[in-house]
Amino acid sequence: MEKSFKVSYKQLFYVALINFLIVGVYGAVMRYKFLFPLAWLEQKNLLHAHSHFAFTAWVSMALMLFMPMFLKGHKATDSVEKPYAVLLYLNMITSVCMLVAFTAQGYALFSIIFSTLSLFVSFAFITKFWKDLKSAEIASPIKHWYYVAIISNAISALGTFYLIYLKASHQENPFEQQASIYFYLHFQYNGWFFFGCLALFYHWLIRKTGHVFFPKYAQYLFSLTLIPTYFLTILWWKGIPAYVGYVVFATVLLQGLCWLWFLSGSLKAMRLIQTSKSSSMIVLWTIVALGVTAKTILQGFSIIPSMSVLVYGFRPIAIAYLHLVLLVNISMFLIGLAFSQGMLRVSKMTHYTIIFLLIGVLFNEIALALQGIGGIYHWNFTFTHTSLLWASIVIVLSLTMLLISQRFNEVPNNKLAK
């Protein structure tokens, strides 16, 4: 057995949750700047810092915690094995350095250096986890989702490296730059993040029920939809062959059917679980299921070229879509998973905190959607910037209270996470 540091999965998840809080604070500051001047802070720099820190210090760190924990069959209070602990510390260090560098100078020498180092940390994690996954004694359907997730993480780096090449060689072609950014975002959001969460959920559900509820051929079909759906982001480009649109159309339909199949099987499998389930987990995962369904429907509409221009070429709509995926689908799932593993204690305080968090998230999405619709139809929703600021404040306060609530020991017996 590999040596462990004196730090538990639970303790490091608290660190990841604090990072999520920092992401929320940056979001609130950016929205404050829309209403009140803060000349000493550059909005674009804050945006880069906000997004990079969300990816590496919150979502990736949480996945890098949960995946080896599930693979090894460890509990929340167990110590993290030394190789993974080292990688998590390195990920944290590079993330904080990126946060500072992007805030101070935007895309420049130090931010690029720390971004590159962060990629090397992720490659080291992929290599280590791949090795452990090959030798792990778990069902092959579970392994499949893990492989898709970590391969997507590796592939996404191609977009980053190509963007660095374009900037270093002073090639200012906006279409190529946007294509490389969307390539990275697609394989992060729809690959590493989505399939990483899917792998953890599938692993948790099979461990609870002992049943494989999604056929292996359906897994392969669902996974293969990842590659063609990237072209949704560039369908609005001039000169894209017509047959690409047909392939993407068929892929989106297939992806929608696979998701409904997976969702139906998941709901049936959940009913087989005899042990009590955390109410907070159930509420959060219900929201996630609705969010993923909404994302799948919206993605279907983006097949229409005019809609594709709006979704991927119009910034307010793109921001709303990205927040739907990262904030609703991914973040709420990870917090729900933490409740299911006992990383977060359940109490009356956490119950109300989760409600307020979901209210903040919901109002955030509504305000972003109105902002996007207003931009399309030239409607002046003057209240959206103020609404977004208040939504950000609610999210920040909710995450703060969630962290504070973990200092209290009130845990109702009928709501313990199993």
Side-chain angles (χ1 to χ4, degrees), residues 338-355:
F339 277 113
S340 79
Q341 299 305 302
M343 286 181 166
L344 294 174
R345 289 195 296 267
V346 182
S347 66
K348 286 183 180 179
M349 187 174 181
T350 58
H351 179 71
Y352 291 122
T353 297
I354 292 301
I355 291 173

Side-chain angles (χ1 to χ4, degrees), residues 14-256:
Y14 287 161
V15 175
L17 200 57
I18 291 169
N19 294 340
F20 187 23
L21 173 60
I22 294 170
V23 171
V25 169
Y26 264 69
V29 171
M30 284 191 293
R31 282 153 184 186
Y32 182 88
K33 266 182 66 63
F34 275 111
L35 299 168
F36 308 101
L38 290 173
W40 50 280
L41 285 173
E42 179 65 42
Q43 185 79 353
K44 195 172 183 180
N45 294 359
L46 290 175
L47 177 61
H48 287 312
H50 169 78
S51 58
H52 281 80
F53 201 69
F55 279 33
T56 58
W58 162 231
V59 179
S60 289
M61 183 170 180
L63 290 175
M64 289 165 68
L65 264 173
F66 281 121
M67 287 168 69
M69 175 182 159
F70 272 52
L71 194 66
K72 303 287 184 176
H74 291 168
K75 296 178 181 178
T77 52
D78 289 341
S79 295
V80 182
E81 290 183 357
K82 186 175 180 179
Y84 288 111
V86 170
L87 289 171
L88 285 162
Y89 285 137
L90 290 174
N91 178 72
M92 188 65 219
I93 291 167
T94 55
S95 297
V96 171
C97 290
M98 272 197 296
L99 184 72
V100 174
F102 276 116
T103 303
Q105 60 175 191
Y107 259 110
L109 177 62
F110 289 106
S111 56
I112 290 173
I113 288 172
F114 291 122
S115 297
T116 306
L117 290 174
S118 177
L119 285 175
F120 290 150
V121 173
S122 70
F123 292 154
F125 173 82
I126 290 166
T127 304
K128 170 61 179 168
F129 189 78
W130 186 290
K131 179 183 175 183
D132 290 345
L133 189 59
K134 283 182 68 177
S135 59
E137 295 181 359
I138 58 173
S140 61
I142 298 173
K143 287 187 176 184
H144 174 87
W145 295 126
Y146 284 128
Y147 279 125
V148 174
I150 58 177
I151 289 171
S152 299
N153 193 12
I155 290 174
S156 71
L158 295 175
T160 302
F161 287 134
Y162 189 65
L163 182 63
I164 292 171
Y165 162 74
L166 290 174
K167 287 187 175 292
S169 57
H170 304 289
Q171 297 184 44
E172 299 298 328
N173 186 321
F175 293 110
E176 288 192 8
Q177 287 190 12
Q178 196 165 16
S180 63
I181 290 169
Y182 277 134
F183 186 92
Y184 170 76
L185 290 175
H186 176 74
F187 283 97
Q188 282 282 301
Y189 273 79
N190 300 315
W192 168 232
F193 295 169
F194 178 72
F195 282 106
C197 291
L198 206 66
L200 292 166
F201 175 74
Y202 200 55
H203 197 162
W204 175 83
L205 203 51
I206 289 179
R207 196 165 60 188
K208 286 286 186 182
T209 63
H211 294 284
V212 174
F213 61 89
F214 199 58
K216 197 161 187 178
Y217 71 87
Q219 277 191 300
Y220 281 106
L221 287 174
F222 203 177
S223 304
L224 288 172
T225 63
L226 177 64
I227 298 172
T229 49
Y230 162 68
F231 292 96
L232 278 170
T233 65
I234 56 172
L235 270 183
W236 53 277
W237 276 22
K238 291 181 180 180
I240 293 290
Y243 69 84
V244 173
Y246 299 135
V247 171
V248 172
F249 176 76
T251 302
V252 169
L253 287 178
L254 177 61
Q255 188 179 67

